[in-house]
Amino acid sequence: MRVGIGPFGMALVGCGSAVPAASISNQQLGERVETSDEWIRSRTGIGARRVAGPDEPLTCLASRAAQLALDHAGWTADDLDLILLATSSPDDLFGTAPRVQGALGASRAVAFDLTAACSGFLFALITAGQYLGSGAMGRALVIGADQLSRWVDWDDRSTCVLFGDGAAAVAVEACGASDNGLLGFRMRSDGSRNACLTLAQLDRHAPLLGGLTAQQGGFAPIQMNGQEVYKFAVREVPAILAELLEATGTTPGQLDWLLLHQANQRILDAVADRFAVPHAQVLSNLAHYGNTSAATIPLMLDEAVKDGRVQPGHLLASSGFGAGLSWGAALLRWSGPRGAAQP
Ligand code: UT7
């Protein structure tokens, strides 16, 4: 039991992001599949998405985002104890976080991947919070990075219009109660609905020897039952946020921002309406990036911090949701770099 000394929580003190150079507009996608800017915008709010080229592997995007978060926090790579990389599209199934650690030169840090699709960043942030809040570690980078352009079927209009590539990172450190930026959280999974959204191993086998058959590696493109996932999101996200607000004694009116996974503008609006949060307080960058999976929440946070919308001391209700199915929510307070003025 804590006796009032030592770490207690986790402060959010820096952020950074990196997206691929190439952007594909809705109109351009219409040259490949039968779709239109009007359909995509009205159903999703998406106007364009970034797509990584061959010289922009996930490691490169994640490392750039991570370095920018270190710079923003005023840290060096040597300060890091932990690098958590939330991704479902690693460069290496054995783990991409160590590659990021190597690129940063963060020799003291342990680095590993965490996979929970579009809930990945939120789950990773909460996970980091446990190491930091317990006092086991001092400083961490939590990265959300995905490159689902590798895994969509570019001839399937029901999915290819939705996803984009990107990476973003948040620098977090152990702190006392007064600076704590993870004020509460909830996490859920429901594997019985796993088939709604998958990027699954191919059912491919080859004879090995002596009558034995071995499975061969490889994954099928993303498959999604869009309507089921939509219904899941508009039911479960408000429910888990309501639970979180109640548990933390927070009213929607106290929130400065809703920072939700960027999957569909209609989902963002439905959640805001449920809590009577003005749409102007719902952060959205879907128009530019689409759904970047584990990257959406930190990418959105970085944009809003850097353009001054999110200020030190602001309270944000965040929710991630997606494949698994998985979903979660966290009540966050942004601190910003140490030394930044508090309101
Ligand atoms: O990050 C994780 C999560 N993923 C999500 O949160 C996705 C949740 N789901 C959604 O956002 C929506 O379900 C979609 C945006 C994916 C689809 O919107 P919808 O309003 O549910 O459309 P629908 O699937 O019911 O399709 C309606 C029609 C169909 O045509 P018919 O059968 O009515 O003739 C589709 O074939 O729209 C057609 N359609 C398209 N038309 C033009 C599907 N995709 C497209 C397209 N362009 N890209």
Side-chain angles (χ1 to χ4, degrees):
M1 195 169 148
R2 290 195 182 88
V3 288
I5 51 164
F8 171 86
M10 169 178 85
L12 284 65
V13 299
C15 54
S17 65
V19 292
S23 180
I24 298 182
S25 69
N26 292 344
Q27 288 92 339
Q28 286 173 300
L29 266 188
E31 295 167 20
R32 172 132 188 163
V33 289
E34 199 182 326
T35 189
S36 66
D37 181 52
E38 198 282 326
W39 192 96
I40 301 171
R41 273 186 201 276
S42 62
R43 301 274 179 144
T44 70
I46 297 168
R49 69 287 296 144
R50 299 296 179 104
V51 174
D55 57 344
E56 296 174 305
L58 195 82
T59 304
C60 159
L61 291 176
S63 303
R64 272 168 48 204
Q67 185 60 56
L68 289 168
L70 283 180
D71 296 344
H72 189 221
W75 297 353
T76 67
D78 278 340
D79 293 326
L80 290 173
D81 299 308
L82 171 69
I83 298 171
L84 265 183
L85 173 61
T87 188
S88 306
S89 43
D91 289 337
D92 184 336
L93 284 179
F94 285 157
T96 300
R99 294 189 185 197
V100 175
Q101 180 219 13
L104 294 175
S107 53
R108 288 182 49 250
V110 62
F112 58 94
D113 293 7
L114 185 152
T115 299
C118 299
S119 308
F121 175 79
L122 204 78
F123 284 14
L125 188 69
I126 293 163
T127 302
Q130 310 315 301
Y131 292 110
L132 300 178
S134 69
M137 291 182 180
R139 286 181 165 173
L141 271 185
V142 182
I143 309 168
D146 263 312
Q147 206 166 337
L148 292 185
S149 63
R150 292 172 174 179
W151 296 111
V152 291
D153 174 353
W154 284 100
D155 295 314
D156 173 8
R157 69 177 183 173
S158 69
T159 52
C160 77
V161 302
L162 304 174
F163 298 103
D165 301 337
V170 174
V172 284
E173 70 181 0
C175 67
S178 59
D179 292 332
N180 186 24
L182 180 60
L183 302 167
F185 66 85
R186 289 282 187 275
M187 301 157 86
R188 298 288 303 277
S189 306
D190 180 3
S192 72
R193 290 187 274 175
N194 178 263
C196 288
L197 181 48
T198 57
L199 200 178
Q201 167 76 29
L202 283 167
D203 191 16
R204 204 167 55 182
H205 304 88
L208 188 58
L209 52 86
L212 283 175
T213 297
Q215 192 163 7
Q216 291 190 305
F219 294 87
I222 293 171
Q223 302 205 346
M224 181 174 74
N225 181 333
Q227 290 191 1
E228 281 305 312
V229 177
Y230 186 90
K231 282 189 267 176
F232 146 74
V234 295
R235 187 172 50 237
E236 302 293 3
V237 174
I240 202 164
L241 278 170
E243 238 183 72
L244 177 69
L245 293 181
E246 194 186 335
T248 55
T250 309
T251 63
Q254 291 175 292
L255 299 173
D256 293 294
W257 301 103
L258 276 182
L259 173 60
L260 308 178
H261 169 52
Q262 309 279 302
N264 187 318
Q265 189 63 42
R266 290 188 291 149
I267 297 174
L268 303 191
D269 292 343
V271 176
D273 292 344
R274 159 69 177 77
F275 295 102
V277 171
H279 287 196
Q281 283 172 249
V282 183
L283 295 168
S284 173
N285 61 9
L286 271 161
H288 305 296
Y289 301 116
N291 180 346
T292 55
S293 193
T296 66
I297 290 175
L299 191 61
M300 184 65 254
L301 178 67
D302 184 50
E303 184 181 317
V305 165
K306 301 292 166 64
D307 69 18
R309 274 176 289 174
V310 170
Q311 293 285 320
H314 273 187
L315 194 60
L316 303 101
S318 187
S319 178
F321 54 90
L325 297 177
S326 62
W327 65 107
L331 187 65
L332 305 173
R333 193 179 295 283
W334 172 253
S335 288
R338 294 304 189 183
Q342 297 291 323

